[in-house]
Amino acid sequence: MELSKHFLGLIRILVLFLSTLPTVSAKLPGLFEALNTNGATEFAALLQANPDLLDAAIYGDVGTVFAPIDSSYSSNHAARAALNTTEQQALAYQISSRALGWKNFTRPTLETLIATRLNEGNLDGMPQSVVLRIAKNNTTTSTSSGRSQRDYGNPQSKWPSYGKISTGLGDIINIIKPEIGFSKCQNSSEPNGFIHIVDKYFTLPQRLSTTLPKIPELSTFASLLDKSCPCLKHKLDTQASLTIFIPTNEAFAAAGITPDTATKNKNKNLNIEEIIKGMVIPNFVGYSPRIALPFGGIGFQTSMNGTWLFISATNIADGPYKGREQKLYVNDALVVRRNIMLENGVAHVIDKVLL
């Protein structure tokens, strides 16, 4: 009996000793192994066909990859040995040098600005970016006044979205499988890079004049711009680093402004060129995470007609996102659609005309 007690005592001591030892974690896969085992074999093959990005991946300058799922491809691209310029740019737009896990996207705000490896554009040397917003169950957040900010998801997506990414032409891309860790070092169990599987490729940013026809709710503004001075349209397409706030068709209708009434109107407040000039912030790319300040506001002076735009944001009152930015305003106009990425900046859609 005493021998048994002694034996049990030794077992307890051994168990306590073993519990103090560090656990041995399985080593993480490398980037390409992780892509291939998580449904992104097409993207892995295309990445390996791009010498510059392949070098970046090998030498550790790839921190985050937003990899399109294989089923999003319309045809097999993997066998191609060379990529054209647009395909190379598309690959670079899917990659960030920073290692961004899910915790980077969930605090301190609901939106995260992500600089990519795409350097083509007219942003004063800055890379093209995307904005990721944590997905919500509902598609529209209503307010007591009946005004709403819209959550433009991809209606063709077959999967639930963990996060929505704003890209060019107003397209929204969904994260369908988040935070797959990979290691840049052999035999490492700690991730120093992350893959997020998305439902399709990011859409490359284009000029404003190319973007507008793709967004039906901005057709009135597109018509107004077409009837304005050609030099103004050219300036909005080519000026480096700008932010523009564009009213919806309904906003122009509510203000009684049409392409016919606004063309060459002597009233400054109804002249189309003056209206457009008052929407533009020059020399600054105002992605929403940069301009949404929950604890105050920020004013910008427009370059073209000298007016001021005051930008403010409200906080979520309660729930898991309490205290975080929710609604974004420009003067008294609500931003109903954010972060339409442009080749030379960013556009936001508002529900009132700024007069």
Side-chain angles (χ1 to χ4, degrees), residues 193-229:
F194 296 96
I195 298 167
H196 305 280
I197 303 297
V198 294
D199 59 352
K200 63 176 184 176
Y201 267 94
F202 296 173
T203 304
L204 292 172
Q206 305 292 327
R207 290 185 171 190
L208 179 64
S209 60
T210 304
T211 301
L212 289 173
K214 303 295 183 180
I215 306 175
E217 67 174 331
L218 302 182
S219 60
T220 299
F221 177 82
S223 297
L224 291 169
L225 188 59
D226 285 340
K227 289 196 172 185
S228 69
C229 173

Side-chain angles (χ1 to χ4, degrees), residues 1 22 33 38 49 52 84 91 96 104 107 136 182 189 230 237 245 257 259 276 280 291 307 314 327 336 345:
M1 181 67 70
E33 181 184 351
N38 284 279
D52 291 338
N84 61 39
L91 284 176
S96 174
N104 297 103
R107 59 180 188 229
K136 297 181 180 180
F182 67 89
S189 60
D237 271 345
F245 297 95
I257 297 173
I276 294 175
V280 181
I291 60 177
T307 59
T314 61
K327 299 180 186 69
V336 296

Side-chain angles (χ1 to χ4, degrees), residues 277-282 300-309:
K277 289 175 183 179
M279 301 174 183
V280 181
I281 301 173
F300 293 93
Q301 186 175 15
T302 63
S303 67
M304 299 179 184
N305 67 358
T307 59
W308 284 83
L309 299 180

Side-chain angles (χ1 to χ4, degrees), residues 114-134:
I114 303 169
T116 74
R117 290 186 59 86
L118 178 61
N119 292 309
E120 283 76 8
N122 194 5
L123 298 172
D124 288 322
M126 295 177 59
Q128 294 287 348
S129 296
V130 297
V131 171
L132 185 149
R133 186 173 182 86
I134 298 302

Side-chain angles (χ1 to χ4, degrees), residues 54-254:
L54 180 59
D55 285 347
I58 292 173
Y59 294 108
D61 199 23
V62 171
T64 304
V65 176
F66 296 93
I69 195 167
D70 284 341
S71 58
S72 67
Y73 290 81
S74 58
S75 60
N76 188 349
H77 296 75
R80 294 189 54 175
L83 305 178
N84 61 39
T85 300
T86 301
E87 289 171 328
Q88 291 177 18
Q89 292 176 358
L91 284 176
Y93 199 33
Q94 304 289 138
I95 296 172
S96 174
S97 296
R98 292 178 59 200
L100 299 169
W102 199 246
K103 67 179 181 181
N104 297 103
F105 305 143
T106 56
R107 59 180 188 229
T109 64
L110 295 177
E111 292 184 323
T112 304
L113 179 63
I114 303 169
T116 74
R117 290 186 59 86
L118 178 61
N119 292 309
E120 283 76 8
N122 194 5
L123 298 172
D124 288 322
M126 295 177 59
Q128 294 287 348
S129 296
V130 297
V131 171
L132 185 149
R133 186 173 182 86
I134 298 302
K136 297 181 180 180
N137 292 330
N138 60 317
T139 57
T140 302
T141 303
S142 298
T143 68
S144 57
S145 65
R147 300 163 74 188
S148 63
Q149 56 183 11
R150 304 165 197 170
D151 188 1
Y152 286 83
N154 176 9
Q156 284 74 44
S157 182
K158 305 174 185 177
W159 304 274
S161 176
Y162 291 87
K164 298 180 180 296
I165 302 172
S166 300
T167 67
L169 300 183
D171 282 350
I172 300 293
I173 312 302
N174 294 293
I175 292 180
I176 58 176
K177 187 177 182 181
E179 198 174 60
I180 302 162
F182 67 89
S183 175
K184 304 173 187 178
C185 308
Q186 291 184 347
N187 301 318
S188 174
S189 60
E190 293 295 325
N192 45 27
F194 296 96
I195 298 167
H196 305 280
I197 303 297
V198 294
D199 59 352
K200 63 176 184 176
Y201 267 94
F202 296 173
T203 304
L204 292 172
Q206 305 292 327
R207 290 185 171 190
L208 179 64
S209 60
T210 304
T211 301
L212 289 173
K214 303 295 183 180
I215 306 175
E217 67 174 331
L218 302 182
S219 60
T220 299
F221 177 82
S223 297
L224 291 169
L225 188 59
D226 285 340
K227 289 196 172 185
S228 69
C229 173
C231 61
L232 179 58
K233 185 175 183 179
H234 176 75
K235 189 175 185 67
L236 295 179
D237 271 345
T238 59
Q239 179 173 324
S241 301
L242 60 78
T243 303
I244 182 167
F245 297 95
I246 307 176
T248 62
N249 296 342
E250 292 82 359
F252 279 113

